[in-house]
Amino acid sequence: YIGGAEHAVLHLLYARFWHKVLFDLGHVGTREPFARLVNQGMVLGATYLPKDRRRGADGEAQVWGPADVEQVTGTDEWRVKATGEAVDVQWDKMSKSRGNVVNPDDVVNQFGADTMRLYEMFMGPLEHSAPWQTEGVAGCHRFLQRAYRLAFETADEGTPDRLRTLPPGEGTDRQRRLLHRTIQAVTERIDRLAFNTAISAMMVFVRDIVDEGETLHHDTLAQFCLLLSPFAPHLAEEIWRALGKTTSLAHELWPAADDAMLVDATFPLVVQIQGKRRAELAIPQGTSEDDIKQRVLADAEVIRHLAGKTPRRVIYVPGKLINIVV
């Protein structure tokens, strides 16, 4: 069941034992199977207790499981279905004895295996314990649906969905920068086992990659498939095959970010007049100080605030602000 990890240490011992056997036989080249150990947090399940924390006739604490209670509409309150009694929610390690176990089969049947896999990595930092929240599962499912719609056009009922028309390349400069920043973010966060924030970066990508008047491009979608594949392998493989790929994406190289795309083409320059903020200009990277001053003094908003006064000094703080003294 979800959250159960009683045998994790034994699994590590078994794996280490058989690895050493394989090493002695000459089949592997390392003495130890693991480079490091990361202890993941527990998945917590909800149990429901009476407000007065009373015990049953047998002296045991009285508790209810998720199937016994229902949430009061529009509130955070829970009540026992049979009696209407109000109860408190308590988060504990999932245990059959507590009745707070979530059956993975039920989650997969309702949302799919990719959603369950994605949600477990999205719940929070890997090392922290976190409560199982069904609404969070639904949120991950919606993200995968948006990723699907990014690639496919919905066809008529009974007809397979069609891959969208995708021009070659990576799209506009804005799209290329978003793609390569996402590649860099997901790669770096996977290396740190920060799976939840890697997923957050992909959510931003799906939300922002196609702006008004823009089209998703073939190479962009292909690289996104590779980023998505460790988290939602079935969906990623489906899109990958629809792109005309004949081999599994599991055999493809991981995408590499273009360093040139990680730097903004422009930087925001705050313009002050007599120490008061009056404007903000987008200045191309690499612009010289003299050209920046000329751009600022020629800006319509700056001219309006100067009101015909002649600047006595123009103080430039590289990459941040410019202050005009009159």
Side-chain angles (χ1 to χ4, degrees), residues 73-93:
T73 305
T75 71
D76 295 330
E77 296 181 4
W78 293 83
R79 296 185 180 278
V80 180
K81 292 178 182 178
T83 65
E85 178 184 352
V87 292
D88 288 332
V89 183
Q90 178 172 298
W91 296 98
D92 297 301
K93 171 186 171 182

Side-chain angles (χ1 to χ4, degrees), residues 84-127:
E85 178 184 352
V87 292
D88 288 332
V89 183
Q90 178 172 298
W91 296 98
D92 297 301
K93 171 186 171 182
M94 283 192 179
S95 167
K96 294 175 183 177
S97 63
R98 292 186 176 92
N100 61 352
V101 169
V102 175
N103 188 333
D105 292 340
D106 295 338
V107 181
V108 171
N109 289 337
Q110 183 176 358
F111 296 103
D114 276 351
T115 296
M116 178 174 162
R117 177 187 179 96
L118 186 82
Y119 175 66
E120 287 202 291
M121 288 187 276
F122 187 61
M123 293 176 72
L126 182 64
E127 300 85 357

Side-chain angles (χ1 to χ4, degrees), residues 43-57:
V43 179
L44 306 178
T47 52
Y48 301 87
L49 312 174
K51 293 284 187 179
D52 57 7
R53 299 295 195 273
R54 66 180 179 274
R55 295 180 176 271

